[in-house]
Structures are given as structure tokens and as C-alpha cells.
Amino acid sequence: MTYADFALSDHNTVPTYTVDDLMALPGFLQCLNFCNQQLLAIHRQMPREVRYVADLRRWVMTHGALALNFSHRINPDLPPLTATNLFREVEHTGIASPNTITSYLKEIHGRGYITLLPKADKRMRAYAMTEFSEKMFYLYLQINLQGLDLIDGAGRADIASKDPRILTHMHPIFARHMLNDPVYYVPPPSIAPLVNTTIGISILNEMTRAQKETPLDASRVYVDLGSASAMAKHYGVSRGNVARLLSKVQNTGHYGQDDRGPWVSAQMLQDHYVLQALKMAHSASAFIEAQKLRAEEALRM
């Protein structure tokens, strides 16, 4: 049996999930903790690189750029990554204007994350992700697949490791799933102050990764959280930046400290879990779609 035959057979099916399905599974928190630890480690190792795509606006634009980049790589007849095409991908979110898109592409081009494609029409600046950028986003998807495998042991990460072309197909599918889900790009008030800043998503992961004890007050959950100075050092920013961000969240009533230590609101924790389950559910379905496309591609070859 060829790879394509095997991938298309019923023996290679893996589960898909809804958000509610995932949050009800006993392995969900293990999956979430694993992904959080992996992503926090990457941010600590490369704070400057991660910071350029860390806030929600940049992450939305990055998902759109990934969708165009990998779709064009698979099929060169599809639109490449340009400012006009990227705006079309994300316009419905209301997050970025054409000028913001143009500035974003110029910025990440200057940082070496994308490179210009040679085009006959010199007026249109078309880009491709650099090898470094593609590897980083392959790693991001692999972490998601490893997290899902902790839940059900389906072996997605091993399959993708043996045939990374699956991840090439998976990127645009996953990105567009996320971009078409308003739960993702319109975050709830409890976490909006965090996800709209460059280091906020990592601090959110810090705030929600380690529940310290079962709360007596159901509205508060006590957590292990490093100091503002420690987080600033980890993520390459000033202590004042972290302190101001924590103060902003505290003013919303979703974070604080008392004699028992730092706490986050149960609402923040729940909203965070929903967003993470959303990401994992879209990863699971995108993997299945990508595996089928890869099998069909293998048959054609």
C-alpha cells in the first residue's frame, strides 16, 4: 500500500472535536499546559522575534500572510502574498487598514521574515516567507499536534514529522479556519487587554498555566505567577511595561493579589480555555483536511 492509499483509507482517520468536546475531555488541561510551556519557552528563547507577531492584530495579519504564502507555494496560480491580497484576507475582521497591512509587511521584510518575489510587474511587491519563518510556523503547528496527541494518542505529530508536506497543506487551512472565527479575532473583555499587546499573550499563558489550589471563592482562582521583574527579563521588555499591563488587567477585575497570593478571575480562565480549545479544534480539523490533500497530491505524482 502506498502512502497515498494509506492516508485515504479509513485506517488513518483521526478525531475532530468541537470546543465543548475538548473542554470536557480529561486530557485537555494536559494538552493546554504542554502547549503553554512549549510556547513560553520559544518566547523566552527568542523574545524579539516572537514580539513582532505576538499581539492579536499582528497575529491576525500573520495568519493571513501564512494562508497566502503556503497556498501560493502549493499552487503558484493562486494569489501571492501582497499588501492588497493580505488586506482581502483579513478585511472582514476590522482589525487592520490597508496602511497597517503595508506597514506590517515592510516591517517584517526589514526584519528578514519575508523576502521579495521576482515579479514581472514591478509595481506589485509580492513576498514569500523566509525559510526561518516557515520553520517557526511548522514548529507552532507541530506543538498543536503534539498537544492533541496527548489527548487521544492519534499520532498526528509523528505523521507530520515523517511527511512535513502535510504541514505545508495544513497552514492555509488552519489560518483560514482561525480567521473565519469571530471568537478568535474579537476576544472577550477579560483577556482583551492582554491579547492586544505584544507580550500580553505570553503573560496570559503565565497567568493561566498553573492553578495553585482549588478556590474557596468560585470567582477567583489562585495561580503561580512570577514577578513583573522576572517576566520582563524573560520577554525582553521593561518591568514598567509588564507592571502597567498587569495594572490594566487588575482594573478590569480579572486579576489581583491578596494574602493568599496572585489570582485570576474564573471568567478569565474560562475565556482562555475557550480560545485554546478553539485553536486545538481548528488544528484537528485542519490536519485531517491537509492529510487528505497531501494524499491526493501524492497520487497525482
Side-chain angles (χ1 to χ4, degrees):
M1 179 181 287
T2 66
Y3 167 80
D5 293 332
F6 180 69
L8 287 171
S9 72
D10 290 338
H11 300 291
N12 206 33
T13 57
V14 293
T16 57
Y17 298 102
T18 66
V19 168
D20 290 340
D21 288 340
L22 281 168
M23 293 178 64
L25 290 171
F28 174 65
L29 289 182
Q30 182 186 8
C31 164
L32 182 59
N33 287 335
F34 168 80
C35 293
N36 278 355
Q37 293 289 353
Q38 295 297 311
L39 294 174
L40 284 169
I42 292 172
H43 196 164
R44 290 174 180 179
Q45 292 168 13
M46 296 184 294
R48 186 174 64 177
E49 290 84 353
V50 171
R51 195 157 65 243
Y52 287 112
V53 294
D55 63 277
L56 181 63
R57 176 182 291 177
R58 289 169 185 259
W59 198 218
V60 164
M61 292 189 290
T62 298
H63 276 314
L66 287 168
L68 290 164
N69 177 79
F70 286 103
S71 294
H72 184 70
R73 171 175 288 240
I74 294 165
N75 181 359
D77 291 333
L78 293 176
L81 171 56
T82 67
T84 299
N85 292 335
L86 180 52
F87 180 67
R88 290 192 186 116
E89 289 282 336
V90 304
E91 181 180 9
H92 66 281
T93 69
I95 277 180
S97 68
N99 286 340
T100 302
I101 296 286
T102 300
S103 297
Y104 163 76
L105 290 175
K106 286 181 178 178
E107 180 182 6
I108 62 174
H109 179 234
R111 297 289 176 182
Y113 303 142
I114 57 176
T115 185
L116 278 169
L117 287 174
K119 299 295 290 185
D121 185 354
K122 299 300 182 182
R123 296 169 299 177
M124 183 180 69
R125 296 171 67 86
Y127 301 93
M129 295 280 178
T130 61
E131 182 180 2
F132 169 80
S133 296
E134 289 190 349
K135 284 182 177 179
M136 288 302 299
F137 291 111
Y138 281 140
L139 176 59
Y140 173 76
L141 287 186
Q142 276 284 45
I143 289 171
N144 290 353
L145 297 181
Q146 289 168 6
L148 284 166
D149 289 342
L150 289 174
I151 291 176
D152 56 30
R156 301 171 187 83
D158 286 342
I159 294 169
S161 293
K162 292 173 183 174
D163 185 8
R165 181 74 173 177
I166 291 174
L167 297 179
T168 304
H169 284 280
M170 183 178 169
H171 267 291
I173 300 167
F174 171 76
R176 288 182 172 124
H177 282 343
M178 295 293 281
L179 287 173
N180 288 324
D181 199 323
V183 176
Y184 164 66
Y185 61 80
V186 185
S190 66
I191 62 176
L194 291 162
V195 299
N196 285 317
T197 62
T198 54
I199 60 167
I201 292 177
S202 287
I203 290 179
L204 176 62
N205 285 338
E206 294 265 12
M207 296 173 80
T208 56
R209 70 189 171 104
Q211 184 173 329
K212 192 161 64 174
E213 59 186 85
T214 302
L216 298 175
D217 179 353
S219 67
R220 293 182 178 183
V221 179
Y222 289 86
V223 295
D224 285 320
L225 183 66
S227 67
S229 296
M231 286 189 281
K233 184 177 180 180
H234 286 155
Y235 304 125
V237 297
S238 72
R239 182 191 179 282
N241 282 345
V242 176
R244 282 190 293 273
L245 183 57
L246 292 176
S247 178
K248 186 181 294 186
V249 181
Q250 187 169 9
N251 289 339
T252 68
H254 292 291
Y255 161 76
Q257 297 196 44
D258 57 28
D259 56 354
R260 294 165 62 190
W263 56 265
V264 299
S265 71
Q267 185 64 56
M268 174 190 277
L269 204 61
Q270 177 72 9
D271 290 340
H272 176 66
Y273 288 165
V274 168
L275 283 181
Q276 294 304 308
L278 177 79
K279 179 182 74 173
M280 302 313 295
H282 287 325
S283 294
S285 61
F287 175 80
I288 291 175
E289 293 177 60
Q291 194 177 17
K292 182 179 179 180
L293 290 173
R294 172 60 182 135
E296 293 170 352
E297 180 181 64
L299 282 174
R300 291 194 301 271
M301 296 172 63

